[in-house]
Amino acid sequence: MKSTYVYAVGNQSYQFESLADVMAKASATKSGDNLAGIAAKSDEERVAAQLLLANIPLKRFIDEPLIPPESDSVSQLLLEEHNNEAFQMVENDTVGDLRNRLLSYEMASDDLAKLADGLLPEMVAAVSKLMRNQDLILVASICNVVTKFRNSLGLSGRLSTRLQPNHPSDDERGIGASMLDGLMYGSGDAVIGINPATDNVQSLIRLLGHIDELIQRFAIPTQSCVLSHITNQIEAINKGAPVDIVFQSIAGTEAANESFGVNLDLLAEARQAALSLNRGTVGDHVMYFETGQGSCLSANTHHGIDQQTLEARAYGVAKKFKPLLVNTVVGFIGPEYLFDGKQIIRAGLEDHFCGKLLGLPMGCDVCYTNHAEADQDDMDVLLTLLGVAGCNYIMGVPGADDIMLNYQSTSFHDAHYLRQVLNKRPAPEFEAWLQKMGIMDAENRLLPVTVKHPLLLELTS
Amino acid sequence: MKTQLTKQMKKVVSVDPWLALKEFTTARIALGRAGSSIRTEDWLAFKLDHAKARDAVHSELDEAVLESCLTGLNSQIIHVQSQINSKSDYLKRPDLGRFLNTDSIARLNNIQHGADLVIISEGLSAMAVQSHASHVVSALLPMLKSSNWSLAPIIVAKYGRVAIEDDIGARLHAKMAIILIGERPGLRSSDSLGAYLVFGPKTSNTDANRNCISNIRESGLSYEKAAETIYYLLNEAKSRQLSGVQIKDNRTLVELGIG
């Protein structure tokens, strides 16, 4: 029998068409859900949906899949991967019960790690809709997700950075200059990752060779990535290029992934190709995924599901492939999906929480575009909150200004700010390298350098 | 505020000894630091650039200026508009920016079906279109004409999103469509132009069906290189009867002139 969804507030009765409708209307305000025409029509309706959602048993998400597995391979994957044994801990909970349970003193890191396999992304999204920002931060701060390739990322008390030395025409010297700038500021332990301006396979191979040479020459305990389409990276591997980890943007529906030119088989193929090179030294997490609320709607493939739930489903996809890094590029998509600083901050915290609760190594591109109602002050708020929440890594872009992708992210300086106020350190292997190279001292402070520094001699010659 | 630091200030701020590398990139490198934070002058310079970019986003296309730039090209120009009527709606409703309004549909009546389309839209930077679109088109048109491409009149689509090429292209049964569109402004590039081409325009196409060439501007991709790349991709798409991720730019670095 089909469930009915009604909630009365005084004399006003709110009716919802389906579980998906309850989820959409219970979501925090997002311009993207308004654009999709699925958001609550009033604040009271939003809270009515949340009150109703709080009483819905978690089991309902198994019995009434938001998108039927027969019509979507992502739904099929999520249900297949759902671990019933791990689910037992919460199988009689409602969504509201789960919130209380997650916040209780009894919930330790180990319990959260075990629970990760027993929760469907939709359950995680649901509970996040009942949480205020501090709840999202508190629970995420207790989740520990550690991944490894040439270093160990996500350890407690650590904050890593992706060094992002983009250049608008992929000029090698321009990229090299930004790369050096970042390394001299202690950035790059999560990955040195370039977004190429063109998707030419030859130039992809050349850029990969360029970073690899630097990593080898100075024995830098980190990994490289050129964020081209996954099919290009597979082609590069086949041509013998030094690929450390493989990147791809992914989303929460089969059709959205199709619009990115990927499917689950292709992701599996890429992972196998990267594993076959056996380039990791301390671990074999070889995948790097980027996501962001709104991508399904942007590709017109949202099935009437709210953007935050779809984002959590993308994490379910990521999880299958044991990634080294997952990055929610939260403010990149623009004001039609996340209108202003308030929405971007909320989305960043939701994404980090959902990813961590599902057991993923979450990083966040704390960012905004020039057509959004946001500025550096908003980014400082999100950055600080994510630091407190235990975010694995953030981006490192020279002066916070990405001159290729035309948006503002976090700077090398920003990472130091966060490390100073929260006493966080880079990944241990990378921290040791920075000290050995005379870039940072044991107090986590930048050291003065001269033109004779070996990295400067190498890259300026 | 310029770099004249007093003796006392030299103690509290550090200068990076790799300033010379600024020659190779417009990225904000070698900023130096106060502690590990950004110095006052750089912070305020950033704020000024953000203010300029915000202003650029909200500026409107001067269609008369664009038309005068295009008149030397011997191509007829048709003006159309999406279902959007204001800049603020443009920012909030990308869905309506993907389709023509009723008046505009009527304006396509006299265009021959089956030709290839070049569309221009201001997107998120009217300045990009006003500065660069005519130059890219004038570099591209001779290549296309010399190899017998049949071109429809140039279509200028006000308040268009990239996918408006599908709506227009499908209505005209075009084989190929390309749209030149203003990219969203960065802090140092409020005039960057992008080009998105699609084989067999139809409204069911997704971004995976398109090929993109971005960063066309003075200190990015030059007009000539952009036109060559567009021409290369158009020919690939035509010969393989598809566009998007299955088309790879497999030209060697020597062919690209950067080897």
Side-chain angles (χ1 to χ4, degrees):
Chain A
M1 199 184 78
K2 200 165 179 276
S3 313
T4 53
Y5 296 99
V6 184
Y7 195 90
V9 179
N11 294 329
Q12 174 73 46
S13 171
Y14 290 99
Q15 295 220 1
F16 305 93
E17 278 174 24
S18 61
L19 186 54
D21 192 29
V22 178
M23 290 283 275
K25 298 213 159 69
S27 301
T29 309
K30 309 276 170 61
S31 49
D33 291 332
N34 283 324
L35 178 62
I38 58 175
K41 301 281 186 294
S42 68
D43 285 346
E44 189 175 272
E45 185 184 29
R46 175 170 294 109
V47 182
Q50 290 168 350
L51 285 160
L52 180 58
L53 182 60
N55 287 323
I56 292 175
L58 292 178
K59 275 185 186 149
R60 188 72 56 79
F61 290 93
I62 302 171
D63 300 339
E64 290 179 23
L66 298 187
I67 306 173
E70 303 79 45
S71 60
D72 182 277
S73 62
V74 170
S75 292
Q76 201 182 334
L77 171 79
L78 300 178
L79 289 165
E80 276 169 14
E81 293 291 308
H82 182 244
N83 181 325
N84 270 319
E85 204 184 314
F87 182 58
Q88 277 172 16
M89 198 195 307
V90 294
E91 65 180 345
N92 296 317
D93 282 3
T94 62
V95 179
D97 295 335
L98 178 61
R99 176 182 171 278
N100 289 332
R101 187 189 291 276
L102 291 172
L103 292 168
S104 69
Y105 284 139
E106 284 66 37
M107 209 64 181
S109 299
D110 290 352
D111 303 312
L112 286 167
K114 277 181 213 143
L115 184 58
D117 294 339
L119 295 175
L120 282 174
E122 288 88 346
M123 299 173 186
V124 172
V127 75
S128 77
K129 293 178 194 301
L130 305 185
M131 289 180 146
R132 54 196 288 202
N133 286 358
Q134 64 166 258
D135 304 341
L136 298 171
I137 295 168
L138 178 59
V139 177
S141 76
I142 298 164
C143 297
N144 275 332
V145 183
V146 178
T147 54
K148 299 178 181 188
F149 188 76
R150 283 200 196 102
N151 55 21
S152 314
L153 301 168
L155 290 165
S156 175
R158 306 280 171 174
L159 172 78
S160 296
T161 51
R162 167 190 163 188
L163 170 47
Q164 184 170 308
N166 297 342
H167 186 276
S169 58
D170 293 337
D171 180 83
E172 263 184 50
R173 289 171 307 176
I175 286 171
S178 291
M179 204 150 59
L180 175 101
D181 197 55
L183 288 170
M184 296 307 289
Y185 273 83
S187 181
D189 46 345
V191 62
I192 301 176
I194 302 170
N195 298 90
T198 62
D199 59 4
N200 177 287
V201 179
Q202 289 303 318
S203 95
L204 162 67
I205 292 172
R206 190 159 80 156
L207 290 174
L208 283 165
H210 191 52
I211 321 177
D212 186 52
E213 201 183 301
L214 186 76
I215 288 177
Q216 304 292 339
R217 175 88 49 96
F218 290 97
I220 310 175
T222 191
Q223 36 281 331
S224 72
C225 190
V226 178
L227 287 74
S228 186
H229 192 267
I230 201 164
T231 51
N232 288 343
Q233 294 167 87
I234 294 172
E235 203 167 324
I237 291 175
N238 292 338
K239 289 184 173 170
V243 173
D244 287 343
I245 58 174
V246 174
F247 161 83
Q248 180 57 44
S249 289
I250 55 168
T253 64
E254 178 181 350
N257 285 319
E258 205 170 282
S259 86
F260 290 160
V262 295
N263 56 50
L264 300 173
D265 291 341
L266 190 57
L267 296 175
E269 181 193 336
R271 178 164 180 268
Q272 286 309 318
L275 282 172
S276 75
L277 299 182
N278 202 21
R279 292 173 60 83
T281 51
V282 299
D284 63 355
H285 295 103
V286 292
M287 301 301 284
Y288 172 13
F289 294 117
E290 286 191 350
T291 63
Q293 290 191 25
S295 56
C296 292
L297 176 59
S298 168
N300 221 357
T301 57
H302 61 91
H303 296 263
I305 314 291
D306 67 90
Q307 62 186 34
Q308 190 251 331
T309 300
L310 290 168
E311 175 73 3
R313 284 168 54 96
Y315 302 151
V317 174
K319 189 171 175 177
K320 172 74 179 167
F321 304 100
K322 300 182 171 57
L324 181 77
L325 305 162
V326 178
N327 176 22
T328 169
V329 192
V330 66
F332 187 74
I333 193 158
E336 59 271 40
Y337 304 94
L338 295 169
F339 184 69
D340 56 13
K342 186 178 170 73
Q343 292 186 12
I344 293 172
I345 290 164
R346 174 73 196 180
L349 294 176
E350 288 168 347
D351 294 352
H352 179 256
F353 163 84
C354 289
K356 279 285 172 73
L357 196 55
L358 288 165
L360 288 170
M362 291 306 294
C364 182
D365 193 341
V366 175
C367 63
Y368 64 106
T369 59
N370 288 318
H371 61 321
E373 291 296 322
D375 61 20
Q376 292 299 92
D377 290 336
D378 297 309
M379 296 305 105
D380 288 344
V381 173
L382 180 56
L383 177 65
T384 307
L385 297 180
L386 283 171
V388 176
C391 187
N392 284 26
Y393 70 103
I394 56 170
M395 305 307 113
V397 177
D401 172 13
D402 190 307
I403 56 171
M404 202 292 274
L405 293 171
N406 288 339
Y407 78 120
Q408 283 86 258
S409 181
T410 43
S411 66
F412 310 133
H413 299 73
D414 290 334
H416 281 279
Y417 147 73
L418 203 56
R419 285 174 180 162
Q420 276 191 72
V421 290
L422 298 175
N423 192 24
K424 298 240 182 194
R425 291 165 178 278
E429 300 87 348
F430 195 77
E431 183 187 21
W433 181 81
L434 290 172
Q435 289 177 16
K436 191 184 87 184
M437 294 298 288
I439 292 171
M440 263 169 52
D441 66 15
E443 304 299 311
N444 218 8
R445 291 183 166 191
L446 287 166
L447 290 166
V449 292
T450 70
V451 286
K452 298 270 167 43
H453 191 280
L455 272 172
L456 290 179
L457 287 176
E458 167 73 14
L459 286 180
T460 53
S461 61
Chain B
M1 282 301 296
K2 217 50 201 164
T3 49
Q4 292 288 329
L5 299 174
T6 65
K7 250 188 188 159
Q8 201 192 0
M9 278 297 119
K10 275 182 184 164
K11 286 182 198 157
V12 299
V13 299
S14 305
V15 176
D16 296 328
W18 55 92
L19 276 169
L21 292 181
K22 278 178 178 282
E23 179 193 339
F24 302 121
T25 180
T26 55
R28 291 168 202 257
I29 62 166
L31 292 181
R33 53 196 173 81
S36 50
S37 298
I38 195 163
R39 297 183 306 176
T40 307
E41 64 184 89
D42 296 311
W43 160 230
L44 293 177
F46 182 102
K47 271 193 111 167
L48 180 60
D49 289 342
H50 184 230
K52 284 181 182 169
R54 298 270 302 146
D55 290 345
V57 165
H58 296 280
S59 68
E60 298 276 349
L61 178 70
D62 188 332
E63 291 190 320
V65 170
L66 178 65
E67 182 141 6
S68 73
C69 293
L70 292 169
T71 44
L73 298 174
N74 267 336
S75 180
Q76 196 194 336
I77 295 159
I78 306 224
H79 290 273
V80 295
Q81 185 168 332
S82 75
Q83 295 176 6
I84 294 284
N85 290 312
S86 73
K87 202 72 175 184
S88 70
D89 281 350
Y90 182 78
L91 294 175
K92 287 182 197 144
R93 296 296 303 268
D95 51 334
L96 300 180
R98 295 176 188 139
F99 295 94
L100 292 175
N101 66 20
T102 319
D103 287 356
S104 299
I105 293 168
R107 255 174 268 158
L108 300 181
N109 283 342
N110 298 326
I111 301 179
Q112 193 197 330
H113 284 198
D116 302 299
L117 289 179
V118 175
I119 302 163
I120 299 174
S121 183
E122 78 275 40
L124 286 169
S125 174
M127 205 199 298
V129 166
Q130 261 156 229
S131 310
H132 312 309
S134 63
H135 296 283
V136 176
V137 174
S138 56
L140 180 65
L141 287 191
M143 295 183 203
L144 295 177
K145 281 180 179 158
S146 71
S147 53
N148 297 320
W149 286 70
S150 77
L151 285 178
I154 293 171
I155 295 173
V156 177
K158 192 174 171 68
Y159 297 138
R161 294 270 169 178
V162 169
I164 204 168
E165 68 181 357
D166 282 319
D167 187 33
I168 300 174
R171 290 177 188 285
L172 294 173
H173 302 284
K175 286 196 184 67
M176 298 274 315
I178 181 157
I179 185 165
L180 302 175
I181 190 163
E183 297 181 331
R184 66 183 171 200
L187 292 191
R188 285 202 184 163
S189 54
S190 42
D191 66 337
S192 183
L193 187 73
Y196 294 79
L197 67 91
V198 67
F199 178 85
K202 54 182 177 297
T203 51
S204 60
N205 277 334
T206 67
D207 289 345
N209 299 108
R210 295 180 222 287
N211 292 89
C212 165
I213 301 97
S214 70
N215 270 298
I216 305 166
R217 63 194 170 92
E218 226 154 71
S219 50
L221 192 62
S222 71
Y223 305 140
E224 292 70 25
K225 287 242 165 68
E228 281 165 19
T229 303
I230 293 168
Y231 181 64
Y232 170 85
L233 291 171
L234 283 171
N235 279 317
E236 285 286 300
K238 195 178 198 179
S239 74
R240 296 185 55 193
Q241 300 281 297
L242 54 86
S243 60
V245 293
Q246 291 172 74
I247 300 272
K248 299 280 174 241
D249 186 350
N250 267 317
R251 290 175 295 170
T252 65
L253 299 181
V254 174
E255 284 171 314
L256 291 172
I258 54 170

